Amino acid sequence: MRAFVFPGQGSQKVGMGAELAAASAAAREVFGEVDEALSQHMSTLMREGPEDELLKTANGQPAIMANAMATLRVLERDFGVRLAEHGACVAGHSLGEYTALCAVGAFGLADTARLLRLRGQAMQEAVPIGEGAMAALLGADMDKAAALAAAAAQGEVCEVANDNDPSQVVISGHRSAIERAVELAKEHGIKRALLLPVSAPFHCSLMAPAADVMAQALETTPPGTLTLPVYANVTAARVTDPEEERELLIKQVTGQVRWRESVAQMHADGAEEFVELGAKVLAPMIGRTVKEAASRSLVTMADLEAFAKEIV
């Protein structure tokens, strides 16, 4: 059993998708459709930058999705590897859950781009720049991270945002609380804590205004039928019902990304191979979570060709 997975925020970089676009009409079609949906030359921004614009969450979220979907389209059209035939389930990290849903037909490509543009804008506007922060805790498990967050909060928001793998947890909240957590980390037995270069405190209760925005958006653009099940971030459980998934996408804005648990559950349900599309971010996390499973990232045309030769 094979799971296809899709990366989240932080995986964008200038030059992303350029090789695929140069080599494949399928990739160019994806980038063109996203450009049209957003009334923006997103493909140019992805290819040429500037980096500070690409890193903005309102740009980064649809860009990451577009790159992953272009990778999938090339895999399917140019190399004959169809998701529905060669995969058993999908999942995505944070915004990657929208990409996963697009990949299994629950959202159209243009709608996914517009939803992620709105999601990025709403998340950025939920907290004034400079008032929120996130930090990665390396060498931390969930118990240590939760204890640290509780100690650092001191009446402010300091919450676990991402449970990425057995050795990496991310916290999110008010900047002063997150900075206290960084200072207190070693006292809590955590090897290292570092502030992340993000523009907002994602996946914590401070994002409630953004959740309200997405609730309205998903009311008018709800997910449709899924051709494969998705494992949802906030429950780490298999979902096939579009209405259930719509509710979970709303909760995801403020909720914890339970990635480690999602990977473990997919593996427990039979996934023996995990294939990441568009970046090399999730595969290393997966390798640390389920060491007996195979994990790989498909980014370049050579990656896609080699994968296709193995399974077709």
Side-chain angles (χ1 to χ4, degrees):
M1 174 176 162
R2 182 180 295 111
F4 284 91
V5 298
F6 299 88
Q9 189 109 339
S11 60
Q12 71 267 47
K13 61 181 180 179
V14 174
M16 64 193 299
E19 184 205 10
L20 296 180
S24 171
R28 292 192 293 274
E29 285 176 20
V30 170
F31 296 135
E33 188 172 346
V34 170
D35 284 354
E36 184 176 353
L38 299 178
S39 300
Q40 176 188 4
H41 292 297
M42 177 61 73
S43 57
T44 303
L45 177 60
M46 293 165 64
R47 185 175 63 251
E48 301 175 6
E51 185 179 33
D52 60 340
E53 284 296 313
L54 185 59
L55 290 175
K56 289 181 178 177
T57 187
N59 290 325
Q61 292 199 30
I64 291 163
M65 180 278 298
N67 186 57
M69 284 303 300
T71 307
L72 174 61
R73 291 276 180 87
V74 172
L75 184 64
E76 291 188 326
R77 293 190 188 177
D78 294 4
F79 296 105
V81 178
R82 303 201 174 277
L83 202 72
E85 296 171 8
H86 296 279
C89 63
V90 295
H93 191 284
S94 189
L95 77 92
E97 190 167 336
Y98 284 81
T99 316
L101 290 164
C102 183
V104 297
F107 289 127
L109 179 61
D111 281 341
T112 309
R114 286 188 286 262
L115 283 168
L116 286 174
R117 162 58 54 79
L118 179 63
R119 183 177 182 268
Q121 290 172 337
M123 286 179 151
Q124 187 62 71
E125 292 168 2
V127 178
I129 291 176
E131 291 188 12
M134 300 180 76
L137 308 179
L138 307 181
D141 58 23
M142 278 294 289
D143 289 342
K144 289 180 180 179
L148 173 63
Q154 297 182 20
E156 294 185 311
V157 172
C158 186
E159 300 167 358
V160 173
N162 304 345
D163 178 12
N164 285 334
D165 66 42
S167 64
Q168 185 191 117
V169 180
V170 175
I171 55 174
S172 182
H174 287 110
R175 174 167 289 276
S176 52
I178 298 300
E179 289 175 347
R180 283 194 294 271
V182 170
E183 293 296 321
L184 293 169
K186 289 192 176 179
E187 293 179 21
H188 286 259
I190 294 168
K191 182 179 177 181
R192 189 179 176 201
L194 62 156
L195 290 170
L196 295 176
V198 296
S199 56
F202 307 122
H203 298 292
C204 75
S205 54
L206 294 176
M207 289 287 107
D212 293 339
V213 170
M214 294 313 296
Q216 293 180 6
L218 291 164
E219 187 69 35
T220 56
T221 310
T225 302
L226 286 68
T227 57
L228 290 176
V230 62
Y231 281 72
N233 283 185
V234 295
T235 60
R238 184 177 184 269
V239 181
T240 57
D241 177 58
E243 177 57 26
E244 179 186 2
E245 179 59 23
R246 185 183 73 83
E247 292 296 328
L248 293 175
L249 287 176
I250 298 167
K251 292 177 180 177
Q252 190 219 59
V253 178
T254 57
Q256 189 183 112
V257 176
R258 297 168 60 183
W259 186 251
R260 176 185 58 83
E261 293 176 86
S262 297
V263 170
Q265 189 59 57
M266 284 185 276
H267 183 55
D269 291 345
E272 298 175 346
E273 182 182 9
F274 293 82
V275 180
E276 177 183 11
L277 293 172
K280 189 175 183 179
V281 176
L282 300 179
M285 295 180 189
I286 292 166
R288 291 189 290 268
T289 302
V290 284
K291 295 179 181 177
E292 61 274 28
S295 59
R296 67 195 298 173
S297 301
L298 307 183
V299 179
T300 66
M301 290 295 288
D303 294 338
L304 295 167
E305 182 177 12
F307 178 66
K309 284 181 178 178
E310 288 179 22
I311 68 171
V312 174

